[in-house]
Amino acid sequence: MDNTPTCARHQAARCLAIAVLYGATLFTPAFAADSPIVRSGNGIPYVSGGVGEESMAQLDAHAGKYNLKLVFALKSGNYLSGVEVNIMDGAGKKLLAVTTEGPWLLVNLPKGRYRVVATLSETTVSRNVVIGSSPLQTVDFRWATE
């Protein structure tokens, strides 16, 4: 009895399985790198980053999913990270507390009035923000020095 056709089918199936696994290994990290890490605080999704051109491009590509973009920089234009950000609702209740991982913080808030307080090296800058139906609102925070 000749088992050659059965062996050939099993060999082909093994080769195909190896090729699929190898392909998944090659492409999964590249796909994952294109998506920023979405975090959540009190049910509010946010993404922080933007250090380097690649990271900024990734965040920019995902900005349409958020309605508030906060940008942190010195007055000279140099971007900042490590900014402590607190977002409070209209009643003063703290909804989100984040330390930024780059100069951009994208947040998706429900419609309403908010106070955003950003602190860098004991210097605090605050802004009042109204989230309505506009797709993305950008708010800049600038400091004279680090």
Side-chain angles (χ1 to χ4, degrees):
M1 181 177 216
D2 188 340
N3 289 335
T4 303
T6 303
C7 289
R9 280 195 304 258
H10 286 274
Q11 182 66 26
R14 270 188 246 129
C15 288
L16 179 62
I18 290 170
V20 168
L21 289 174
Y22 180 72
T25 303
L26 285 178
F27 293 110
T28 299
F31 174 75
D34 289 341
S35 299
I37 297 171
V38 179
R39 294 185 169 88
S40 180
N42 289 328
I44 298 171
Y46 69 91
V47 175
S48 179
V51 176
E53 290 180 26
E54 184 177 326
S55 178
M56 279 193 165
Q58 289 172 357
L59 289 179
D60 200 35
H62 289 84
K65 298 176 184 176
Y66 299 88
N67 55 15
L68 181 62
K69 175 182 174 182
L70 305 176
V71 180
F72 308 100
L74 294 175
K75 289 183 178 176
S76 66
N78 293 338
Y79 285 125
L80 298 167
S81 63
V83 178
E84 294 175 29
V85 178
N86 291 291
I87 299 177
M88 282 76 68
D89 65 12
K93 178 184 175 189
K94 187 184 294 184
L95 301 176
L96 187 64
V98 176
T99 300
T100 65
E101 297 173 11
W104 289 7
L105 177 62
L106 300 173
V107 184
N108 199 14
L109 293 166
K111 290 181 181 178
R113 296 180 179 277
Y114 300 91
R115 182 145 183 90
V116 181
V117 178
T119 304
L120 177 73
S121 301
E122 299 181 20
T123 302
T124 299
V125 178
S126 61
R127 303 274 188 271
N128 291 321
V129 176
V130 177
I131 300 296
S133 57
S134 63
L136 180 66
Q137 183 177 162
T138 301
V139 179
D140 287 317
F141 289 82
R142 304 281 174 157
W143 285 266
T145 61
E146 275 186 74

